[in-house]
Amino acid sequence: MSDYLPEEVVLEILHRLPVKSLIRFRCVSKSWNSLITTPAFINSHFSSNSSNSNKLIVRHCVDKPYLEHYKLIDDNNDSSSDQIQHIDFPLTSSRINHFMLIGSVNGLFSLFELERYVLWNPSIRKFITLPNPCITVKTHGRVKCRSAFGFDPRTNDYKVVRIAFRCGTKRIEEAKVPLVEVYSLNEGSWRITSAGDSFSPGISFDDWGRPSASLNGAVHFVGKDRDDNFCPLVLSFDLGDEVFREISVPNGAFCTSDYVHTSVIGGSLSLLCHDTYRHTVNNCCSIWVMKEYGVVDSWTKLFTVNLYGGLIRVLGLQKNGNILVEAELPLHWELSSYDPKSEQVKNLGICGRPYYFCVDNYMENLVLLDKPNDAVSKRGVSRKRKCRDKLDSSQHFSFCLLTSDEARVHLLQEAREQQQEVVQLEETVRQRQEAMLYQQEAIQQQMERMAYFKSQLEKAANFKSRLAHLIQRLGGPGWRHI
């Protein structure tokens, strides 16, 4: 790989580099490109850098035109407007107003519109469209699906889960048992599993439309048990053994009318509970964290946030202890930061549609780098971005000419020869400039001499005129021929 450094040293250096640098260094040689795009390097690079995230990624959607935007903010402090970084989103939904966010994990996003699923990695600006699911209207009739997205650390695999309930079936028991299919990024395909057999028929989902929470190799939803007075519970789906399990919530903490959804806060499974559903006043949100995963007695209430003064919904926590909330202002809705100690609210200047805001940890990774490029939607792509992509493509093509050590040496020799030619050209230009200066000085001297001669001629003409006038006054005939 290198004539100067051992391969293990080069590998260690590459592991420490940011994603942006690695994307450029793929073009150094074929061997580097092959190394950086291997699943082993992608996984090991993420493992080496997963704890270095100090940013949050914010999703917000706007109307007219219907667009969704993504921005990076500081996780430690409230970002000012000039510190907020914008990330281009390469897609525009062609069939609905906005994509539905299924979930995000390790910096990778899963989005959905009707039967189209997309995985997007904002850190490398790349997305792929998944193949069509197995369960469709044509194959299984009308179904209602609850989707989730998670990561299985045992196989280093990202998976999309679809839980499909048949609609309009005459058999009640058949309607209660869902069909479950799983997409594996490593395998690149969907498959129907027998996971529906472990799904309790009395469970119904209570967080439709909300992203699921991925943690410890499982995805987590909020459900209600119809057989237990619709008491809320957490339903998990293990991405490894593909089995549903139930996790109890704190006893007596929630009511059946509460709006609860799962989240991950500080690396722990969390519950955000709004005591009344959406458009009501004087409600509050309690934040619960499971300190030890799977242990019901470890549920702990962190905060209770009073939603007043336009505060609508709690989105998450920052490392500085502030709480990110969705706030309603007189003319729009905006992401805000709430300090629970001072009870002060600071607007962050990120506006969007209500209940479409989403906040998650931003993690750089190389996932999807080894996958084929997908066609970018032409809608919503600015001319500036097209020009930048064109420039990047031309630079990528030029760099990829370096396919061997000999090619690099040859290119280096050509660069040196071109540098010598530039030096010679500069010397020629300098000599010509000196010659021009000499010529200008000579011309200036000639002009000065001509001016001197002109002044002498003027003096001679003046003397001759005065002499002629003197002869006329003397009147002597002999003077006429002087």
Side-chain angles (χ1 to χ4, degrees):
M1 181 179 296
S2 172
D3 297 334
Y4 307 101
L5 293 175
E7 184 174 348
E8 58 271 14
V9 175
V10 175
L11 188 62
E12 180 65 24
I13 294 174
L14 293 178
H15 273 137
R16 297 174 182 269
L17 293 177
V19 166
K20 186 176 181 180
S21 298
L22 291 173
I23 295 296
R24 296 200 308 266
F25 290 167
R26 287 186 307 155
C27 302
V28 170
S29 66
K30 284 185 176 180
S31 59
W32 279 32
N33 179 64
S34 299
L35 170 66
I36 295 172
T37 55
T38 57
F41 181 85
I42 291 174
N43 293 329
S44 59
H45 178 268
F46 175 76
S47 299
S48 302
N49 298 274
S50 59
S51 61
N52 298 333
S53 175
N54 289 314
K55 292 185 179 297
L56 298 173
I57 186 167
V58 178
R59 180 191 190 235
H60 61 114
C61 303
V62 298
D63 297 340
K64 298 178 181 179
Y66 291 104
L67 297 173
E68 54 189 278
H69 301 281
Y70 292 81
K71 290 182 172 60
L72 298 181
I73 63 174
D74 196 337
D75 194 12
N76 296 303
N77 301 289
D78 295 334
S79 301
S80 59
S81 58
D82 58 341
Q83 294 175 325
I84 297 176
Q85 304 176 40
H86 176 75
I87 297 180
D88 289 333
F89 181 62
L91 296 169
T92 301
S93 177
S94 58
R95 306 180 71 178
I96 56 178
N97 293 341
H98 302 287
F99 281 93
M100 179 182 293
L101 179 60
I102 297 174
S104 60
V105 57
N106 296 343
L108 196 65
F109 283 76
S110 179
L111 304 161
F112 166 76
E113 61 166 354
L114 299 182
E115 293 184 352
R116 179 192 180 196
Y117 288 83
V118 174
L119 297 183
W120 177 52
N121 186 342
S123 59
I124 64 173
R125 310 298 196 265
K126 184 173 182 178
F127 75 94
I128 62 171
T129 300
L130 306 190
N132 293 330
C134 301
I135 302 173
T136 63
V137 176
K138 293 182 180 180
T139 58
H140 294 81
R142 291 178 57 246
V143 294
K144 184 177 182 181
C145 293
R146 179 67 169 96
S147 300
F149 177 58
F151 175 69
D152 185 1
R154 288 159 290 190
T155 57
N156 284 320
D157 195 6
Y158 294 84
K159 297 182 178 181
V160 179
V161 181
R162 295 183 77 220
I163 307 169
F165 297 89
R166 293 184 177 92
C167 300
T169 179
K170 295 181 179 179
R171 297 179 58 184
I172 299 177
E173 293 300 323
E174 182 178 319
K176 292 181 180 179
V177 178
L179 296 171
V180 180
E181 64 176 330
V182 177
Y183 173 85
S184 165
L185 182 60
N186 289 347
E187 299 174 2
S189 60
W190 294 90
R191 58 181 177 82
I192 298 178
T193 73
S194 58
D197 297 338
S198 61
F199 189 91
S200 176
I203 302 298
S204 62
F205 289 109
D206 194 46
D207 57 352
W208 294 93
R210 294 294 307 164
S212 59
S214 176
L215 183 68
N216 290 347
V219 289
H220 303 81
F221 318 86
V222 171
K224 289 185 177 180
D225 190 353
R226 291 191 296 265
D227 299 332
D228 190 15
N229 297 320
F230 291 92
C231 289
L233 54 83
V234 175
L235 182 67
S236 69
F237 178 76
D238 193 298
L239 298 173
D241 57 21
E242 297 179 348
V243 172
F244 287 99
R245 295 183 175 87
E246 299 173 14
I247 302 176
S248 300
V249 298
N251 187 24
F254 309 136
C255 301
T256 56
S257 61
D258 291 343
Y259 176 59
V260 187
H261 67 87
T262 58
S263 182
V264 177
I265 296 177
S268 300
L269 180 63
S270 306
L271 294 174
L272 303 181
C273 174
H274 295 78
D275 66 348
T276 50
Y277 187 76
R278 295 192 176 183
H279 300 289
T280 55
V281 295
N282 297 326
N283 58 341
C284 64
C285 176
S286 57
I287 303 174
W288 292 79
V289 172
M290 179 175 270
K291 295 290 187 178
E292 185 177 353
Y293 183 77
V295 179
V296 177
D297 293 339
S298 68
W299 281 114
T300 304
K301 183 190 286 189
L302 291 184
F303 298 102
T304 297
V305 182
N306 293 318
L307 300 178
Y308 61 90
L311 302 184
I312 299 177
R313 189 164 59 98
V314 173
L315 300 174
L317 290 172
Q318 293 180 276
K319 289 182 179 180
N320 61 2
N322 288 358
I323 302 173
L324 293 173
V325 296
E326 183 179 331
E328 182 179 5
L329 302 181
L331 299 177
H332 56 267
W333 288 263
E334 187 171 337
L335 179 69
S336 301
S337 177
Y338 171 77
D339 187 345
K341 296 180 180 179
S342 63
E343 297 186 351
Q344 296 296 315
V345 178
K346 178 183 178 181
N347 297 327
L348 300 182
I350 301 177
C351 305
R353 295 183 66 185
Y355 303 103
Y356 277 81
F357 286 94
C358 184
V359 178
D360 196 6
N361 291 326
Y362 177 71
M363 299 183 183
E364 287 192 343
N365 64 75
L366 298 168
V367 180
L368 304 184
L369 189 62
D370 56 334
K371 306 300 179 183
N373 290 324
D374 208 342
V376 178
S377 172
K378 295 183 179 180
R379 293 181 58 189
V381 180
S382 64
R383 179 179 300 178
K384 179 179 179 181
R385 181 165 181 260
K386 289 180 180 178
C387 295
R388 184 175 68 248
D389 292 344
K390 183 177 180 180
L391 179 61
D392 291 343
S393 299
S394 62
Q395 292 175 345
H396 176 79
F397 176 77
S398 300
F399 275 116
C400 287
L401 293 177
L402 306 178
T403 57
S404 64
D405 293 338
E406 293 80 7
R408 291 199 297 273
V409 172
H410 178 68
L411 184 58
L412 182 60
Q413 292 176 348
E414 289 184 349
R416 289 175 178 173
E417 293 174 357
Q418 291 178 0
Q419 185 178 11
Q420 293 176 356
E421 291 177 359
V422 170
V423 172
Q424 293 175 357
L425 181 60
E426 290 177 346
E427 179 65 19
T428 302
V429 171
R430 185 185 63 80
Q431 292 176 356
R432 291 183 178 180
Q433 287 177 343
E434 290 178 352
M436 290 177 63
L437 289 174
Y438 176 79
Q439 292 176 357
Q440 289 177 354
E441 291 177 356
I443 293 173
Q444 182 67 26
Q445 291 177 359
Q446 292 293 336
M447 292 179 65
E448 290 176 355
R449 289 178 182 178
M450 290 176 64
Y452 173 77
F453 290 147
K454 183 179 180 180
S455 65
Q456 293 299 319
L457 289 173
E458 290 177 351
K459 288 181 179 180
N462 185 33
F463 177 77
K464 185 178 180 179
S465 175
R466 292 174 62 186
L467 183 59
H469 179 69
L470 179 61
I471 292 172
Q472 186 179 6
R473 289 183 61 185
L474 291 175
W479 295 94
R480 296 181 183 272
H481 302 285
I482 295 176

